[in-house]
Amino acid sequence: MFYLLYNVVWFFTRFFLFLLPPEFAHNFTFFIIRIFFKIPFVKNFAKSKYCIYNKKLERNVFGLKFSNPVGLAAGFDKNAKLINDLDAFGFSFIEIGTVTPKTQYGNKKPRLFRLRKDKALINRMGFNNDGLDKVVSRLKSKRTNVIIGGNIGKNKITPLEKSVEDYEKCFNDLFKYVDYFVLNVSSPNTPQLRELQRKDKLEVLISSIQSINNSKSCPKPILIKISPDLHFKDVDEIITLIKKYNIAGVVAANSTNKRDGLKTNFNNVKKIGLGGLTGSPIREMSTNMIKYIYQKSSGSIPIVAVGGIMSPEDAIEKIEAGASLIQLYTGFVYEGPLLVKRINKAILKKYN
Ligand SMILES: Cc1cc2nc3c(=O)[nH]c(=O)nc-3n(C[C@H](O)[C@H](O)[C@H](O)COP(=O)(O)O)c2cc1C
């Protein structure tokens, strides 16, 4: 009965939301969640419908205990506004950010587009975020035990040569408030950011962050988020650095600059212009990247899989490819909140 009702409600909710401009729909959804979850019992009701508790879903990855393998990808709650609410949809971890030291407006609007025929999005948000201070103040009021990842980056105005300082500032200020870190060096929407994936630059970044980390009494897991557009020879160099500096894992992958094999009319895609493509069309690219890292590292590097997970089958594909954890963004937008539970149920069925 619940599933029937859910399908009807989600059909109309999505229909309505998709009439709105994408970024407005996103912010409106946040507003609605915040209002509704203030009503007594609503959050508990959502939890009772969307969460699944089973010891067999628990995962110990890079020293942290996840109550299930499904998390929310970076970019959805960039500013940690809903950290006390989003676990009601069944996520065991939420990656906030990308956070930069200073507040940033991001690129000019419109900067988020739907490709409905492809179940995809194109975004050129450009690290719009409230900046470190505001994010830290929100994290201080965290009331749930959901695991929080801190995805960090550089401000647009910071020259590439000084970018390590931005990462260091974010790392230090967020250290007390997040459970793990992700160095985002793969967003296509901040000029030159992806150059930080190059061996020499990445080594400087990783070594400096890891040395700060190691000076703490209780170091935190640090992961690197990579682009699905990397060549495998670049991935080899990243794997070498991950091993050399004892990096906890890799998040694979971010959005792509490619536009191959889309069902959406070519001219419409061209009109949208620059930006990172996400959702269904990047599923295979992301899976291939995960398979490669898993095989090349003989399974020694924990992989957080993200990219085109739109169904339980897609999630299983990522796990079979070698992922320890998975994250959703575009799938959550197109398929709705029940996707998290459906994935967890499928994992239970497949592996137990
Ligand atoms: C609107 C939007 C904003 C995003 N912002 C960020 C971000 O700030 N930092 C980041 O690391 N990834 C960001 N991402 C990328 C996602 O975290 C994820 O890697 C990508 O969307 C692929 O997963 P998906 O196919 O499930 O969406 C963003 C994605 C979208 C759609």
Side-chain angles (χ1 to χ4, degrees), residues 262-273:
L262 296 177
K263 295 181 193 123
T264 306
N265 177 282
F266 175 77
N267 285 326
N268 291 346
V269 177
K270 213 172 147 197
K271 234 190 274 165
I272 290 172

Side-chain angles (χ1 to χ4, degrees), residues 128-181:
N128 56 311
N129 76 104
D130 291 345
L132 257 181
D133 292 349
K134 278 206 181 125
V135 170
V136 165
S137 73
R138 288 190 194 115
L139 288 170
K140 281 182 184 165
S141 64
K142 179 183 169 235
R143 292 185 304 273
T144 71
N145 48 17
V146 70
I147 288 177
I148 300 285
N151 181 308
I152 59 178
K154 71 179 264 306
N155 277 113
K156 187 179 174 183
I157 54 159
T158 306
L160 200 65
E161 319 80 71
K162 295 214 170 218
S163 50
V164 173
E165 290 170 28
D166 278 12
Y167 286 87
E168 285 174 352
K169 170 115 184 78
C170 293
F171 184 80
N172 281 321
D173 289 12
L174 286 173
F175 191 84
K176 256 169 72 183
Y177 308 103
V178 301
D179 302 292
Y180 71 91
F181 280 93

Side-chain angles (χ1 to χ4, degrees), residues 5 21 30 55 61 64 72 77 80 89 111 189 208 247 270 286 335 352:
L5 197 66
F30 267 49
K55 269 214 137 338
V61 190
L64 298 175
L72 182 65
D77 189 9
F89 299 116
R111 52 195 181 178
N189 301 313
S208 92
I247 289 297
K270 213 172 147 197
S286 150
E335 304 301 325
N352 295 292

Side-chain angles (χ1 to χ4, degrees), residues 91-104:
F91 295 113
S92 75
F93 63 112
I94 297 168
E95 197 170 302
I96 59 144
T98 297
V99 183
T100 58
K102 295 189 190 101
T103 312
Q104 230 177 226

